[in-house]
Amino acid sequence: MPHKRKTSSPYKLLLHLTVILWGIEILNLLLDHQLCRYGIFPRTSQGLIGIPVSPFLHGSVAHLLLNTGPLIVLGGLILVNGRTPFIRSTVFIVLVGGMGLWLIGRPAYHVGASALIFGYFGYLLARGILDRRLKSFFLALVAVALYGGLFWGMLPTVSYVSWEGHLCGFVAGIRAAWVEKRKRS
């Protein structure tokens, strides 16, 4: 009798990502948040290291706490379509959004998963428009209903918030959905 392979839930990816984020935050806390110097510092060679690293670093426990919920919810909405779109969009948003932030950001260390969160939001909205499928449109509506206020986070309203990271993440998310749509066409 053939052995049936048990498939794991795609949501375990999100659980693992969340555990990694909190593990790094605990280490960063023990190091008095010295790891934040590995965030994105725009237009410097050292700041390039922050492009793939900055989403995993946070300025405080409160910072990560504020990012955890939206990351799980919006990431979970993307996972409705499977692991591949989640992984591809996450990598694309982190790299392209991070590069955009490195190019246009203020001269300061930019850390946190919020650019990724804004990227997920942009991805879901763009996919809802580009796919022309009821499921994608519904997921976009849920994202807007829950997190429509994110649009305000892309404006320079508070000096200690990286609105540039939010904007670059959002644009990268839209671009990720567009690239995915072109590959499927």
Side-chain angles (χ1 to χ4, degrees):
M1 184 176 265
H3 179 4
K4 282 184 103 175
R5 186 176 155 208
K6 187 177 179 180
T7 57
S8 66
S9 167
Y11 297 96
K12 281 189 177 179
L13 280 172
L14 208 45
L15 175 65
H16 291 138
L17 177 59
T18 305
V19 168
I20 289 167
L21 287 170
W22 278 97
I24 291 170
E25 178 55 27
I26 290 167
L27 176 63
N28 204 9
L29 187 62
L30 294 171
L31 296 172
D32 199 28
H33 284 92
Q34 290 300 308
L35 295 178
C36 289
R37 68 178 175 220
Y38 296 106
I40 296 173
F41 200 97
R43 295 171 303 285
T44 65
S45 56
Q46 180 191 359
L48 287 169
I49 248 174
I51 292 172
V53 174
S54 67
F56 298 95
L57 303 172
H58 288 80
S60 68
V61 170
H63 185 200
L64 178 55
L65 196 58
L66 289 169
N67 280 341
T68 301
L71 182 77
I72 291 170
V73 172
L74 294 171
L77 290 175
I78 293 173
L79 276 165
V80 167
N81 291 308
R83 284 185 176 97
T84 302
F86 176 78
I87 292 168
R88 285 184 180 161
S89 64
T90 298
V91 171
F92 190 94
I93 292 164
V94 167
L95 297 179
V96 173
M99 182 56 77
L101 175 56
W102 185 84
L103 289 170
I104 71 163
R106 288 170 285 160
Y109 286 104
H110 298 260
V111 295
S114 57
L116 180 58
I117 291 164
F118 277 78
Y120 286 166
F121 185 66
Y123 174 87
L124 288 162
L125 296 184
R127 187 158 176 172
I129 294 166
L130 297 172
D131 266 5
R132 298 184 184 183
R133 290 183 1 216
L134 187 58
K135 179 174 145 185
S136 296
F137 183 72
F138 177 74
L139 292 172
L141 281 179
V142 170
V144 169
L146 295 174
Y147 295 106
L150 288 179
F151 286 111
W152 294 108
M154 292 183 271
L155 300 174
T157 55
V158 183
S159 65
Y160 57 86
V161 173
S162 179
W163 65 270
E164 307 99 309
H166 297 170
L167 180 62
C168 290
F170 182 75
V171 170
I174 291 170
R175 185 74 176 158
W178 184 80
V179 167
E180 183 181 290
K181 173 71 173 168
R182 296 234 10 202
K183 283 185 177 180
R184 282 184 281 143
S185 302

